[in-house]
């Protein structure tokens, strides 16, 4: 696109949006829903947003046992230690002489990084890995400084507080600043920085969550916007077969002469009062913003429906909690012209990874849901033509102990660990590789923390380093990374070859 064309497009968008904002100031918010949809329909017909990028963070709540997600194969130097220490939870290489036909077997990966396989329910992940679209980053976790086993044992290096605690580690992963009281998430700080740059400004927040309010997207300026997989939640009591306000609004946005129409108008009038009490006035402002965002999200979903992509069919085999979230994110990406953001950060999550018991059965479902949802998300982004514009990364509280907590495979699980393996996938990913440093899996040696010899891996890649690569891809300059990740200077440069983090 030529420079003059870009300027004309920007001017057109600015005029339309300013007109929208003016309308919101002089008419009822609910009454402008139809107007917003018309305005954004015009925006959607404009040329696609240039230089669009979206980062999707998927949090695996409960502590994913990634020891059984990325598994050393028979010729890997850590295989013997895995096989010995994993006990009843081990998943063998099918070429191992000890493998019993019919038992779960790891799926081999094709990679020059070493001899690895994945969980037997992760066929979708294996396919993406082997086609060079997905990678693993080994042994990532919360750290204050690079830490060795000797330093951990001697207590000579400050450690993240409340290690092995779900709630603390979840927040520390999302803030990346374990040694400070929580004030913001790394995603929120990235959104603040990008929102201050003209190319990233849009009509709704850069931070959109499909999994409720979270710590990662807490910022100082950009307010995270949470919605459901079905879209924004409308006011109740006004919907019919024609839509969420069918009982109260005419198609042109005027109020119907019905009980619902009169009630909605009264609600709208109350919202537009000017309140002397600051709390009341702020509450009214929140309601108005929510109603405006509802119209914008509705327009984005309408734009997605007009894309020609059959979202439901592509997600046929991923009708799960995570699949529904990723499908909604795909729709919002398809409707990006209506929202107007050239940068977006999405948050999704899946729970249930606190597998203290029945881990073998639980992981079949958990990893299967993860694998199926990722594959469907990938196929949908490809169909939309935006696969190269979207980077997806996983987070989790921690991995779990390599040793099991029982001897019965039907009931045994694993306990809270520390560093674990994370997944990165998408068009921008240099896939088919295992990045970071894979632990030796030797109990009581190398990366094993503490004296219990359970296989709690001291991370060799910090959350700061891992997240910085994604933030830099999204648009945070190298000079600004220290603002987003205050502790990053304590670790090896994530973009240097020694860190082995070149996954984008």
């Amino acid at each position: 696109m030529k420079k003059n064309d870009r300027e004309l497009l920007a001017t057109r968008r600015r005029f339309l949006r300013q007109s929208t904002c003016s309308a919101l100031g002089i008419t009822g918010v609910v009454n402008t829903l139809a107007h917003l949809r018309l305005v954004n329909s015009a925006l959607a017909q404009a040329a696609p947003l240039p230089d669009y990028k979206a980062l999707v963070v998927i949090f695996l709540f409960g502590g994913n046992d990634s020891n059984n997600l990325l598994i050393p194969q028979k010729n890997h130097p850590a295989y013997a230690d895995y096989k010995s220490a994993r006990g009843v939870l081990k998943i063998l290489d099918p070429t191992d002489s000890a493998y019993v036909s019919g038992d779960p077997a790891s799926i081999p990966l094709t990679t020059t990084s070493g001899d690895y396989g994945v969980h037997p329910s992760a066929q979708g992940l294996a396919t993406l890995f082997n086609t060079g679209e997905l990678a693993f980053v080994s042994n990532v976790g919360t750290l204050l400084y690079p830490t060795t086993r000797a330093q951990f044992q001697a207590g000579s290096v400050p450690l993240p507080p409340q290690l092995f605690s779900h709630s603390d580690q979840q927040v520390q992963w999302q803030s990346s600043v374990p040694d400070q009281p929580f004030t913001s998430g790394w995603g929120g700080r990235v959104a603040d920085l990008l929102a201050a740059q003209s190319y990233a400004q849009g009509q709704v927040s850069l931070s959109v969550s499909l999994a409720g309010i979270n710590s990662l997207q807490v910022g100082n300026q950009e307010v995270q916007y949470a919605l459901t997989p079905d879209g924004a939640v409308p006011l109740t009591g006004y919907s019919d077969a024609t839509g969420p306000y069918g009982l109260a609004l005419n198609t042109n946005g005027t109020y119907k002469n019905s009980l619902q129409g009169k009630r909605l108008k009264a609600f709208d009038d109350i919202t537009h009062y000017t309140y002397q009490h600051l709390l009341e006035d702020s509450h009214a402002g929140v309601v108005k913003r929510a109603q405006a965002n509802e119209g914008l999200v509705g327009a984005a979903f309408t734009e997605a429906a007009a894309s020609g992509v059959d979202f439901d069919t592509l997600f046929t085999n991923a009708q799960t909690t995570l699949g529904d979230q990723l499908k909604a994110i795909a729709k919002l990406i398809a409707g990006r012209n209506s929202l107007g953001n050239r940068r977006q950060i999405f948050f999704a999550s899946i729970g249930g990874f606190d597998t203290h018991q029945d881990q073998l059965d639980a992981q079949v479902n958990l990893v299967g849901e993860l694998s199926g949802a990722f594959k469907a998300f990938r196929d949908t982004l490809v169909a939309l033509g935006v696969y190269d514009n979207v980077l997806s990364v996983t987070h989790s509280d921690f991995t779990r102990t390599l040793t099991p907590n029982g001897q019965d495979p039907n009931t045994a699980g694993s306990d809270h660990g520390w560093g674990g393996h994370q997944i990165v996938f998408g068009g921008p990913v240099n896939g088919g590789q295992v990045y970071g440093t894979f632990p030796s899996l030797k109990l009581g040696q190398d990366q094993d923390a503490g004296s219990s010899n359970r296989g709690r891996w001291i991370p060799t890649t910090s959350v700061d380093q891992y997240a910085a690569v994604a933030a830099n891809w999204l648009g945070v300059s190298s000079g600004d990374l220290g603002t987003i990740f205050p502790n990053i200077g304590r670790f090896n440069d994530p973009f240097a070859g020694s860190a082995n983090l070149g996954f984008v």
Side-chain angles (χ1 to χ4, degrees), residues 34-60:
H35 174 62
L36 280 166
R37 291 173 188 267
L38 290 172
V39 168
N40 284 281
S41 176
L43 286 170
Q45 299 305 313
L49 290 170
D51 190 30
Y52 175 81
K53 288 184 177 182
L55 174 65
V56 182
V57 179
I58 302 108
F59 207 103
L60 316 182

mmCIF file of all heavy atoms in Angstrom, residues 34-60:
data_model
loop_
_atom_site.group_PDB
_atom_site.id
_atom_site.type_symbol
_atom_site.label_atom_id
_atom_site.label_comp_id
_atom_site.label_asym_id
_atom_site.label_seq_id
_atom_site.Cartn_x
_atom_site.Cartn_y
_atom_site.Cartn_z
ATOM 1 N N ALA A 34 -27.002 -0.224 16.925
ATOM 2 C CA ALA A 34 -27.214 -0.393 15.489
ATOM 3 C C ALA A 34 -26.293 0.534 14.704
ATOM 4 O O ALA A 34 -25.735 0.161 13.671
ATOM 5 C CB ALA A 34 -28.676 -0.119 15.141
ATOM 6 N N HIS A 35 -26.111 1.786 15.201
ATOM 7 C CA HIS A 35 -25.234 2.750 14.537
ATOM 8 C C HIS A 35 -23.797 2.232 14.512
ATOM 9 O O HIS A 35 -23.110 2.312 13.483
ATOM 10 C CB HIS A 35 -25.310 4.080 15.283
ATOM 11 C CG HIS A 35 -24.344 5.116 14.783
ATOM 12 N ND1 HIS A 35 -24.377 5.608 13.503
ATOM 13 C CD2 HIS A 35 -23.307 5.740 15.407
ATOM 14 C CE1 HIS A 35 -23.406 6.507 13.353
ATOM 15 N NE2 HIS A 35 -22.741 6.593 14.491
ATOM 16 N N LEU A 36 -23.348 1.681 15.631
ATOM 17 C CA LEU A 36 -21.996 1.138 15.695
ATOM 18 C C LEU A 36 -21.803 0.016 14.693
ATOM 19 O O LEU A 36 -20.766 -0.080 14.037
ATOM 20 C CB LEU A 36 -21.703 0.622 17.105
ATOM 21 C CG LEU A 36 -21.308 1.669 18.143
ATOM 22 C CD1 LEU A 36 -21.391 1.071 19.533
ATOM 23 C CD2 LEU A 36 -19.917 2.199 17.869
ATOM 24 N N ARG A 37 -22.791 -0.833 14.566
ATOM 25 C CA ARG A 37 -22.679 -1.946 13.628
ATOM 26 C C ARG A 37 -22.578 -1.423 12.185
ATOM 27 O O ARG A 37 -21.836 -1.957 11.365
ATOM 28 C CB ARG A 37 -23.865 -2.896 13.775
ATOM 29 C CG ARG A 37 -23.849 -3.654 15.092
ATOM 30 C CD ARG A 37 -25.123 -4.444 15.289
ATOM 31 N NE ARG A 37 -25.192 -5.011 16.635
ATOM 32 C CZ ARG A 37 -24.775 -6.231 16.950
ATOM 33 N NH1 ARG A 37 -24.260 -7.001 16.028
ATOM 34 N NH2 ARG A 37 -24.878 -6.678 18.189
ATOM 35 N N LEU A 38 -23.345 -0.364 11.867
ATOM 36 C CA LEU A 38 -23.279 0.196 10.530
ATOM 37 C C LEU A 38 -21.920 0.834 10.268
ATOM 38 O O LEU A 38 -21.322 0.662 9.206
ATOM 39 C CB LEU A 38 -24.393 1.238 10.355
ATOM 40 C CG LEU A 38 -25.820 0.690 10.288
ATOM 41 C CD1 LEU A 38 -26.821 1.843 10.306
ATOM 42 C CD2 LEU A 38 -26.005 -0.148 9.044
ATOM 43 N N VAL A 39 -21.425 1.608 11.244
ATOM 44 C CA VAL A 39 -20.132 2.258 11.098
ATOM 45 C C VAL A 39 -19.039 1.227 10.902
ATOM 46 O O VAL A 39 -18.196 1.335 10.016
ATOM 47 C CB VAL A 39 -19.817 3.140 12.327
ATOM 48 C CG1 VAL A 39 -18.361 3.585 12.309
ATOM 49 C CG2 VAL A 39 -20.730 4.356 12.342
ATOM 50 N N ASN A 40 -19.061 0.182 11.723
ATOM 51 C CA ASN A 40 -18.006 -0.813 11.636
ATOM 52 C C ASN A 40 -18.159 -1.700 10.422
ATOM 53 O O ASN A 40 -17.190 -2.278 9.937
ATOM 54 C CB ASN A 40 -17.958 -1.634 12.915
ATOM 55 C CG ASN A 40 -17.303 -0.830 14.018
ATOM 56 O OD1 ASN A 40 -16.093 -0.723 14.066
ATOM 57 N ND2 ASN A 40 -18.108 -0.211 14.865
ATOM 58 N N SER A 41 -19.371 -1.781 9.896
ATOM 59 C CA SER A 41 -19.538 -2.479 8.629
ATOM 60 C C SER A 41 -18.806 -1.716 7.537
ATOM 61 O O SER A 41 -18.159 -2.307 6.669
ATOM 62 C CB SER A 41 -21.026 -2.602 8.285
ATOM 63 O OG SER A 41 -21.184 -3.191 7.015
ATOM 64 N N ALA A 42 -18.865 -0.382 7.595
ATOM 65 C CA ALA A 42 -18.121 0.424 6.632
ATOM 66 C C ALA A 42 -16.626 0.247 6.813
ATOM 67 O O ALA A 42 -15.863 0.146 5.858
ATOM 68 C CB ALA A 42 -18.511 1.894 6.790
ATOM 69 N N LEU A 43 -16.184 0.204 8.076
ATOM 70 C CA LEU A 43 -14.762 -0.008 8.345
ATOM 71 C C LEU A 43 -14.312 -1.362 7.822
ATOM 72 O O LEU A 43 -13.215 -1.504 7.283
ATOM 73 C CB LEU A 43 -14.496 0.071 9.843
ATOM 74 C CG LEU A 43 -14.526 1.461 10.477
ATOM 75 C CD1 LEU A 43 -14.478 1.337 11.991
ATOM 76 C CD2 LEU A 43 -13.373 2.310 9.981
ATOM 77 N N ALA A 44 -15.163 -2.366 7.997
ATOM 78 C CA ALA A 44 -14.792 -3.713 7.568
ATOM 79 C C ALA A 44 -14.625 -3.799 6.058
ATOM 80 O O ALA A 44 -13.899 -4.655 5.561
ATOM 81 C CB ALA A 44 -15.848 -4.716 8.030
ATOM 82 N N GLN A 45 -15.295 -2.902 5.326
ATOM 83 C CA GLN A 45 -15.178 -2.928 3.872
ATOM 84 C C GLN A 45 -13.904 -2.251 3.395
ATOM 85 O O GLN A 45 -13.535 -2.359 2.224
ATOM 86 C CB GLN A 45 -16.397 -2.229 3.245
ATOM 87 C CG GLN A 45 -17.723 -2.888 3.575
ATOM 88 C CD GLN A 45 -17.751 -4.349 3.209
ATOM 89 O OE1 GLN A 45 -17.340 -4.718 2.110
ATOM 90 N NE2 GLN A 45 -18.222 -5.190 4.110
ATOM 91 N N ALA A 46 -13.223 -1.532 4.310
ATOM 92 C CA ALA A 46 -11.986 -0.863 3.938
ATOM 93 C C ALA A 46 -10.877 -1.897 3.765
ATOM 94 O O ALA A 46 -11.034 -3.072 4.057
ATOM 95 C CB ALA A 46 -11.600 0.151 5.016
ATOM 96 N N ALA A 47 -9.733 -1.423 3.282
ATOM 97 C CA ALA A 47 -8.601 -2.331 3.084
ATOM 98 C C ALA A 47 -8.193 -2.952 4.410
ATOM 99 O O ALA A 47 -8.335 -2.328 5.473
ATOM 100 C CB ALA A 47 -7.436 -1.560 2.473
ATOM 101 N N PRO A 48 -7.695 -4.183 4.402
ATOM 102 C CA PRO A 48 -7.300 -4.847 5.650
ATOM 103 C C PRO A 48 -6.258 -4.041 6.415
ATOM 104 O O PRO A 48 -5.450 -3.324 5.828
ATOM 105 C CB PRO A 48 -6.724 -6.184 5.166
ATOM 106 C CG PRO A 48 -7.324 -6.400 3.820
ATOM 107 C CD PRO A 48 -7.500 -5.039 3.228
ATOM 108 N N LEU A 49 -6.302 -4.163 7.724
ATOM 109 C CA LEU A 49 -5.321 -3.461 8.542
ATOM 110 C C LEU A 49 -3.909 -3.930 8.189
ATOM 111 O O LEU A 49 -3.637 -5.124 8.150
ATOM 112 C CB LEU A 49 -5.590 -3.750 10.025
ATOM 113 C CG LEU A 49 -6.846 -3.141 10.629
ATOM 114 C CD1 LEU A 49 -7.079 -3.720 12.007
ATOM 115 C CD2 LEU A 49 -6.739 -1.638 10.701
ATOM 116 N N PRO A 50 -2.999 -2.984 7.940
ATOM 117 C CA PRO A 50 -1.628 -3.383 7.612
ATOM 118 C C PRO A 50 -0.868 -3.822 8.854
ATOM 119 O O PRO A 50 -1.172 -3.393 9.974
ATOM 120 C CB PRO A 50 -1.037 -2.100 7.029
ATOM 121 C CG PRO A 50 -1.801 -1.002 7.702
ATOM 122 C CD PRO A 50 -3.186 -1.526 7.917
ATOM 123 N N ASP A 51 0.109 -4.693 8.683
ATOM 124 C CA ASP A 51 1.037 -5.056 9.750
ATOM 125 C C ASP A 51 0.314 -5.553 11.001
ATOM 126 O O ASP A 51 0.675 -5.220 12.119
ATOM 127 C CB ASP A 51 1.926 -3.852 10.097
ATOM 128 C CG ASP A 51 3.069 -4.217 11.029
ATOM 129 O OD1 ASP A 51 3.530 -5.375 10.964
ATOM 130 O OD2 ASP A 51 3.470 -3.363 11.838
ATOM 131 N N TYR A 52 -0.739 -6.355 10.813
ATOM 132 C CA TYR A 52 -1.499 -6.859 11.961
ATOM 133 C C TYR A 52 -0.757 -8.009 12.629
ATOM 134 O O TYR A 52 -0.198 -8.887 11.969
ATOM 135 C CB TYR A 52 -2.881 -7.340 11.500
ATOM 136 C CG TYR A 52 -3.680 -7.988 12.596
ATOM 137 C CD1 TYR A 52 -4.387 -7.233 13.520
ATOM 138 C CD2 TYR A 52 -3.727 -9.381 12.713
ATOM 139 C CE1 TYR A 52 -5.116 -7.830 14.531
ATOM 140 C CE2 TYR A 52 -4.451 -9.997 13.722
ATOM 141 C CZ TYR A 52 -5.144 -9.216 14.629
ATOM 142 O OH TYR A 52 -5.860 -9.819 15.637
ATOM 143 N N LYS A 53 -0.749 -7.995 13.970
ATOM 144 C CA LYS A 53 -0.174 -9.100 14.734
ATOM 145 C C LYS A 53 -1.013 -9.345 15.982
ATOM 146 O O LYS A 53 -1.489 -8.395 16.625
ATOM 147 C CB LYS A 53 1.268 -8.793 15.166
ATOM 148 C CG LYS A 53 2.277 -8.818 14.031
ATOM 149 C CD LYS A 53 3.705 -8.609 14.559
ATOM 150 C CE LYS A 53 4.723 -8.694 13.437
ATOM 151 N NZ LYS A 53 6.114 -8.530 13.947
ATOM 152 N N ALA A 54 -1.166 -10.621 16.321
ATOM 153 C CA ALA A 54 -1.889 -10.991 17.535
ATOM 154 C C ALA A 54 -1.079 -12.026 18.305
ATOM 155 O O ALA A 54 -0.537 -12.969 17.721
ATOM 156 C CB ALA A 54 -3.264 -11.553 17.199
ATOM 157 N N LEU A 55 -1.006 -11.835 19.610
ATOM 158 C CA LEU A 55 -0.363 -12.792 20.513
ATOM 159 C C LEU A 55 -1.454 -13.459 21.335
ATOM 160 O O LEU A 55 -2.289 -12.779 21.939
ATOM 161 C CB LEU A 55 0.630 -12.078 21.433
ATOM 162 C CG LEU A 55 1.276 -12.925 22.523
ATOM 163 C CD1 LEU A 55 2.168 -14.001 21.924
ATOM 164 C CD2 LEU A 55 2.082 -12.040 23.482
ATOM 165 N N VAL A 56 -1.449 -14.781 21.357
ATOM 166 C CA VAL A 56 -2.432 -15.538 22.133
ATOM 167 C C VAL A 56 -1.695 -16.284 23.240
ATOM 168 O O VAL A 56 -0.807 -17.096 22.964
ATOM 169 C CB VAL A 56 -3.199 -16.540 21.241
ATOM 170 C CG1 VAL A 56 -4.253 -17.284 22.057
ATOM 171 C CG2 VAL A 56 -3.845 -15.821 20.052
ATOM 172 N N VAL A 57 -2.050 -15.993 24.493
ATOM 173 C CA VAL A 57 -1.454 -16.666 25.648
ATOM 174 C C VAL A 57 -2.474 -17.652 26.196
ATOM 175 O O VAL A 57 -3.585 -17.265 26.558
ATOM 176 C CB VAL A 57 -1.039 -15.656 26.740
ATOM 177 C CG1 VAL A 57 -0.442 -16.384 27.943
ATOM 178 C CG2 VAL A 57 -0.030 -14.647 26.182
ATOM 179 N N ILE A 58 -2.099 -18.918 26.250
ATOM 180 C CA ILE A 58 -2.990 -19.968 26.760
ATOM 181 C C ILE A 58 -2.423 -20.473 28.081
ATOM 182 O O ILE A 58 -1.322 -21.041 28.107
ATOM 183 C CB ILE A 58 -3.128 -21.140 25.756
ATOM 184 C CG1 ILE A 58 -3.662 -20.639 24.409
ATOM 185 C CG2 ILE A 58 -4.057 -22.214 26.315
ATOM 186 C CD1 ILE A 58 -2.642 -20.630 23.318
ATOM 187 N N PHE A 59 -3.140 -20.260 29.169
ATOM 188 C CA PHE A 59 -2.655 -20.657 30.489
ATOM 189 C C PHE A 59 -3.229 -22.026 30.860
ATOM 190 O O PHE A 59 -4.445 -22.232 30.809
ATOM 191 C CB PHE A 59 -3.039 -19.634 31.560
ATOM 192 C CG PHE A 59 -2.082 -19.610 32.719
ATOM 193 C CD1 PHE A 59 -1.139 -18.602 32.838
ATOM 194 C CD2 PHE A 59 -2.100 -20.616 33.675
ATOM 195 C CE1 PHE A 59 -0.231 -18.587 33.895
ATOM 196 C CE2 PHE A 59 -1.206 -20.620 34.726
ATOM 197 C CZ PHE A 59 -0.258 -19.592 34.852
ATOM 198 N N LEU A 60 -2.338 -22.945 31.232
ATOM 199 C CA LEU A 60 -2.729 -24.291 31.651
ATOM 200 C C LEU A 60 -2.741 -24.304 33.180
ATOM 201 O O LEU A 60 -1.718 -24.538 33.826
ATOM 202 C CB LEU A 60 -1.749 -25.329 31.099
ATOM 203 C CG LEU A 60 -1.339 -25.159 29.625
ATOM 204 C CD1 LEU A 60 -0.399 -26.284 29.199
ATOM 205 C CD2 LEU A 60 -2.561 -25.090 28.717
#
